[in-house]
Amino acid sequence: ARAPAMASMPRKKAWKIEPFRHKVDIDPGFGENAWKLLEKGMVEIFSKNASGLSFEQLYRNAYNMVLHKFGPMLYEGLQATVRKHLQGGVERLGQENGEALLRQLHQEWCDYTRAMQMIRDILMYMDRTYVKQHGKMPVQELGSEMWLEGVMRSGELQPRVCPQIIAMVAEERAGGLVDRELIKCSVAMMVQLGGKAYAQELEEPLLEASAQHFVQLAGRLMEECSVSDYVRRVEGVLAEEKGRVRAYLDPATEPKLVAVIEGELLAKRLDALLGVDRGGFEAMIADDRLEDLQRMHGLLLGIPGAQGRMKEIFYNLVYAQGERFVNDQTNLETSTSYVAGLLDLKRKYDRIVAKSFGGSKVFGAAIQRAFEGFMNLNPVSPEHVSLFLDEHLRQGFKGMSDGEAEALIDQAMLLFRYLEDKDVFEKYFKQHLARRLLSSKAANEEQELSII
């Protein structure tokens, strides 16, 4: 009987615990007051009077400003304070000139970076929250950007700072003594600014000034020097400029500066360097000047189109000398003089390729192409190569060791490979072999087989 009565009783509502909400009342002047305290602290830091400051209190004020939605006031206030400080710095720097300007600039930069590091630490919470949430520039990056725009690109300093550095580089190139450490500090400052500051403010105008300098230098050296001396001077210039980069410029400048030097001193003077006049590349080959050729080849290796032109000049010289040789009747009097002369010619140019061109396959192929060309101009070449071998085989390679004999056979067979009419050579070689066998003048079997 009780069950229906219990079913009709209303259910009690479940307990729900609400979070305790405490309304925080903020002083209406909190944001302004906190900022004034922070602004005063930043001014003291920029004035190098930070020893009496409470960094804990400054950090707490910056933290609370961000926490209570005063981040925009804090960030904009920072920008205004930094801007005002930099304007004063520009005014101070405007009173300096020459190297004194660079020294004072370096001191101002060092003081500024130390101050910005302190301010960054105070505003660390703003960097971690407000800056990230609103896509703003972090304090450290903002400081560099404002220095670049407010100091380096100011109307007062932009026309003076980098031109002064470039003038010091020009003075050193002319043989003067300059304060390398001062240039190095100025360059380091621009590199630390990040982005393209160094490239735009210093590197690009420096490369332009360098190009003008090297144009004038090339003209003067071409008038004063032989090609050999010119190439030596260029080699020295490259070494000096690379040393200059290592001493005080950014490493990224080296390939760009080298490209300017190669362009003005080598690429634009290629015709004069490769010609025969004044002892150029062609004359160096004719005179067998291995050291000069090595220097020339090394310098021109990276110049677009230079190796192809050197290869063709080399080929033409080898071919022309070979053509004169095979058509000279005095060289055809005996097979020994003919083949020995060809081998001497081959050794000469092989030596140039090995000693001066680093064993380049490109130049080795040029020798092969030249020999294949001129040796087949004279139809007696196959017979003379066979007679040359026949003569030495009949004499048993008199006065030669086994190694020397094998080397001579290899050299002669290399000439054989250049012949188009190899069947003509084979015909003569069989005839000569038969005569050797009939006259019992055949060399040892291994040497005969090595040729066959």
Side-chain angles (χ1 to χ4, degrees):
R2 287 186 176 182
M6 291 181 64
S8 62
M9 292 178 64
R11 293 184 181 181
K12 292 182 179 180
K13 291 184 179 179
W15 285 91
K16 184 178 180 181
I17 302 175
E18 297 286 346
F20 179 73
R21 294 179 182 178
H22 174 68
K23 184 178 179 181
V24 179
D25 293 324
I26 301 175
D27 182 351
F30 166 76
E32 194 67 34
N33 293 333
W35 166 243
K36 285 181 179 179
L37 183 65
L38 283 164
E39 182 184 29
K40 182 180 178 181
M42 291 179 190
V43 170
E44 291 297 311
I45 289 171
F46 279 130
S47 301
K48 295 187 281 188
N49 295 323
S51 59
L53 296 174
S54 170
F55 282 85
E56 181 182 353
Q57 183 183 19
L58 291 171
Y59 178 86
R60 191 183 307 116
N61 274 274
Y63 175 88
N64 286 325
M65 282 190 74
V66 176
L67 188 66
H68 297 298
K69 311 302 181 184
F70 290 102
M73 178 188 290
L74 179 58
Y75 194 85
E76 291 167 12
L78 167 67
Q79 289 177 300
T81 304
V82 172
R83 191 177 297 112
K84 184 177 179 180
H85 170 73
L86 292 179
Q87 287 170 351
V90 171
E91 290 174 5
R92 291 189 296 274
L93 290 166
Q95 301 171 15
E96 305 290 349
N97 291 293
E99 293 188 12
L101 170 62
L102 296 185
R103 289 192 184 90
Q104 185 61 34
L105 178 67
H106 174 61
Q107 186 59 54
E108 291 276 348
W109 168 249
C110 291
D111 293 343
Y112 177 73
T113 52
R114 278 195 293 268
M116 289 305 298
Q117 286 170 2
M118 293 181 193
I119 293 171
R120 180 198 61 189
D121 292 343
I122 292 169
L123 304 180
M124 190 180 300
Y125 184 70
M126 184 186 75
D127 252 356
R128 292 204 309 260
T129 56
Y130 174 79
V131 166
K132 288 185 177 180
Q133 291 167 4
H134 294 82
K136 298 290 186 178
M137 198 176 286
V139 173
Q140 191 76 27
E141 189 178 338
L142 176 67
S144 296
E145 181 67 19
M146 293 188 71
W147 175 274
L148 175 62
E149 296 298 329
V151 177
M152 298 303 297
R153 290 176 177 166
S154 67
E156 179 67 31
L157 298 180
Q158 190 173 41
R160 297 166 57 209
V161 173
C162 289
Q164 173 61 32
I165 298 173
I166 293 170
M168 291 173 72
V169 174
E171 182 180 352
E172 187 178 51
R173 283 172 174 160
L177 294 176
V178 299
D179 188 341
R180 284 188 159 196
E181 188 62 29
L182 182 58
I183 300 175
K184 182 178 180 179
C185 291
S186 301
V187 168
M189 173 195 66
M190 282 181 276
V191 172
Q192 288 170 30
L193 289 174
K196 298 180 179 179
Y198 168 76
Q200 293 174 347
E201 300 303 314
L202 179 61
E203 186 181 62
E204 290 175 9
L206 174 62
L207 292 175
E208 290 176 7
S210 298
Q212 296 173 6
H213 166 75
F214 293 125
V215 166
Q216 297 173 0
L217 179 63
R220 187 172 72 252
L221 292 180
M222 274 293 174
E223 291 178 0
E224 298 173 356
C225 305
S226 66
V227 171
S228 292
D229 290 337
Y230 181 91
V231 170
R232 288 191 189 93
R233 292 291 296 274
V234 172
E235 196 174 50
V237 167
L238 281 166
E240 288 174 7
E241 294 298 326
K242 289 177 181 179
R244 187 165 288 116
V245 172
R246 289 193 296 271
Y248 52 71
L249 295 175
D250 187 68
T253 301
E254 182 173 318
K256 301 172 188 176
L257 187 56
V258 168
V260 170
I261 297 168
E262 290 179 341
E264 300 299 339
L265 295 182
L266 297 174
K268 292 182 180 179
R269 304 287 173 170
L270 203 55
D271 289 341
L273 295 175
L274 296 181
V276 69
D277 296 339
R278 299 167 62 245
F281 181 73
E282 191 170 336
M284 291 176 186
I285 295 173
D287 298 338
D288 206 24
R289 284 154 40 201
L290 300 182
E291 186 177 340
D292 288 340
L293 284 169
Q294 183 182 31
R295 186 176 290 109
M296 173 82 81
H297 178 260
L299 286 175
L300 297 184
L301 198 57
I303 306 300
Q307 177 155 287
R309 291 185 61 181
M310 286 190 289
K311 179 198 69 175
E312 286 306 307
I313 291 171
F314 184 68
Y315 163 78
N316 289 333
L317 285 172
V318 177
Y319 184 89
Q321 188 172 356
E323 183 181 25
R324 288 193 299 272
F325 180 87
V326 298
N327 289 327
D328 187 341
Q329 292 302 313
T330 59
N331 295 324
L332 299 173
E333 293 178 357
T334 67
S335 60
T336 300
S337 62
Y338 184 77
V339 174
L342 289 174
L343 291 177
D344 287 342
L345 196 62
K346 180 74 167 52
R347 279 191 286 267
K348 171 186 175 178
Y349 290 111
D350 281 347
R351 184 166 172 261
I352 290 175
V353 171
K355 298 288 186 180
S356 301
F357 302 154
S360 168
K361 293 181 179 180
V362 170
F363 288 91
I367 295 176
Q368 178 178 338
R369 185 159 62 97
F371 268 75
E372 288 173 347
F374 67 71
M375 277 189 64
N376 291 291
L377 293 175
N378 195 323
V380 303
S381 292
E383 182 181 7
H384 276 303
V385 173
S386 179
L387 284 169
F388 175 82
L389 287 168
D390 178 63
E391 183 175 344
H392 282 285
L393 286 165
R394 283 157 56 86
Q395 295 175 0
F397 292 92
K398 186 177 179 180
M400 296 184 188
S401 65
D402 289 343
E404 291 170 337
E406 286 298 326
L408 187 61
I409 291 172
D410 290 341
Q411 292 169 17
M413 294 312 295
L414 186 59
L415 296 181
F416 159 76
R417 294 190 185 96
Y418 297 144
L419 297 174
E420 291 178 357
D421 296 328
K422 292 181 173 60
D423 54 340
V424 176
F425 169 87
E426 185 179 354
K427 181 187 74 172
Y428 283 117
F429 187 79
K430 287 179 178 178
Q431 291 175 359
H432 299 149
L433 174 59
R435 284 203 295 266
R436 288 196 301 275
L437 293 172
L438 290 172
S439 61
S440 300
K441 294 286 186 176
N444 67 57
E445 185 177 349
E446 288 184 5
Q447 290 172 338
E448 295 282 0
L449 289 173
S450 68
I451 295 173
I452 296 172

